[in-house]
Amino acid sequence: MQRREFSLSSATAVAASAVGLPLTLAASLPAQAQVRQFKEGKDFVKLKKPVATSAPAGKVEVIEFFWYSCPHCHQFEPTFEAWAKSAPATMAIHRVPVAFNASFIPQQKLYFALEALNLLPQLHTKVFRAVHVERVPLNKDEQIFEWIGKQGTDVAKFKEAYNSFNTANQLRRASQLQEAYQVEGVPSMGVAGKYYTDGTMAGNMQSVLQVVEYLATLKA
């Protein structure tokens, strides 16, 4: 679901070339070009009220806001995954599933249950594939439980995590972050509890990652 239209015209090319990119996307740009290219109010916004982060000391929190049923998030996922693996060690990168209305909540709970059971490495990408390639809705509890069972996962343990107090807390935190960053659509990125950017502002999702790397270097 999009509150704005995001430009992913180059998503296929970016995904195909992601593995061959330099260690950091922004590192290949001269510092002067970075300053000139990435401007507050155009490529990103600075939040009026900073958001508390959970990053360890010395690290910069970077958040990808996403929704499993968003086709743009599905397209962006391979690029984001490749970038996250080679991003600077000073970044603490994680995902936050959004909810623009109550129908999104089952997929939020799906993500947080997978996270609690350490199943994201095996199943995160498979969820995207199930929704967008295999056309499995996965937007209701029973649909999710049935699909989880087919993945060889203990359904009872998954249900326990899905309906746990921890997941409820994660939902509240996700809602707080979504509101604090004023998320208008997905995929989009929050940086250091201070900055927000998306494909509309940056021009495309490749540029978003460059903007994120630039923002992570700012001291104020």
Side-chain angles (χ1 to χ4, degrees):
M1 177 174 175
Q2 303 286 311
R3 290 190 179 179
R4 293 200 225 139
E5 284 298 319
F6 293 100
S7 173
L8 279 178
S9 59
S10 59
T12 302
V14 175
S17 62
V19 176
L21 289 173
L23 180 60
T24 64
L25 292 168
S28 63
L29 296 173
Q32 189 175 18
Q34 290 184 36
V35 173
R36 182 173 66 249
Q37 181 178 359
F38 306 132
K39 298 179 180 179
E40 182 180 348
K42 176 182 179 294
D43 301 296
F44 65 92
V45 294
K46 186 173 183 178
L47 305 184
K48 293 180 180 179
K49 183 178 179 181
V51 182
T53 70
S54 58
K59 290 186 177 287
V60 178
E61 184 173 72
V62 174
I63 300 171
E64 183 214 11
F65 294 100
F66 81 100
W67 175 38
Y68 277 127
S69 288
C70 166
H72 300 302
C73 297
H74 177 225
Q75 287 180 294
F76 181 52
E77 176 59 26
T79 303
F80 177 78
E81 181 69 17
W83 171 81
K85 288 179 179 178
S86 62
T90 53
M91 293 186 187
I93 302 169
H94 64 103
R95 299 175 176 88
V96 170
V98 302
F100 293 130
N101 60 58
S103 70
F104 288 49
I105 294 176
Q107 288 189 356
Q108 284 185 301
K109 294 173 70 175
L110 166 58
Y111 178 84
F112 290 127
L114 292 177
E115 183 177 52
L117 296 172
N118 297 313
L119 291 173
L120 285 174
Q122 302 99 300
L123 297 181
H124 178 68
T125 300
K126 288 186 177 181
V127 175
F128 275 117
R129 179 176 177 80
V131 173
H132 297 280
V133 179
E134 299 167 2
R135 303 298 181 184
V136 182
L138 297 185
N139 54 18
K140 295 182 179 179
D141 295 350
E142 292 306 318
Q143 293 170 337
I144 290 171
F145 299 152
E146 181 180 356
W147 182 82
I148 282 293
K150 292 178 179 178
Q151 309 313 307
T153 301
D154 186 318
V155 177
K157 287 184 178 179
F158 179 83
K159 285 183 177 180
E160 183 177 355
Y162 187 88
N163 294 310
S164 69
F165 181 72
N166 177 66
T167 292
N169 281 338
Q170 294 275 42
L171 291 176
R172 282 191 288 272
R173 178 59 177 162
S175 178
Q176 291 168 355
L177 286 170
Q178 182 179 333
E179 181 177 356
Y181 276 102
Q182 300 177 42
V183 177
E184 296 190 2
V186 287
S188 54
M189 306 284 287
V191 182
K194 299 176 182 178
Y195 308 103
Y196 175 84
T197 186
D198 59 32
T200 295
M201 284 185 277
N204 56 60
M205 294 310 296
Q206 180 182 14
S207 294
V208 164
L209 296 179
Q210 294 174 342
V211 172
V212 167
E213 290 197 355
Y214 165 70
L215 293 173
T217 68
L218 299 183
K219 302 300 182 183

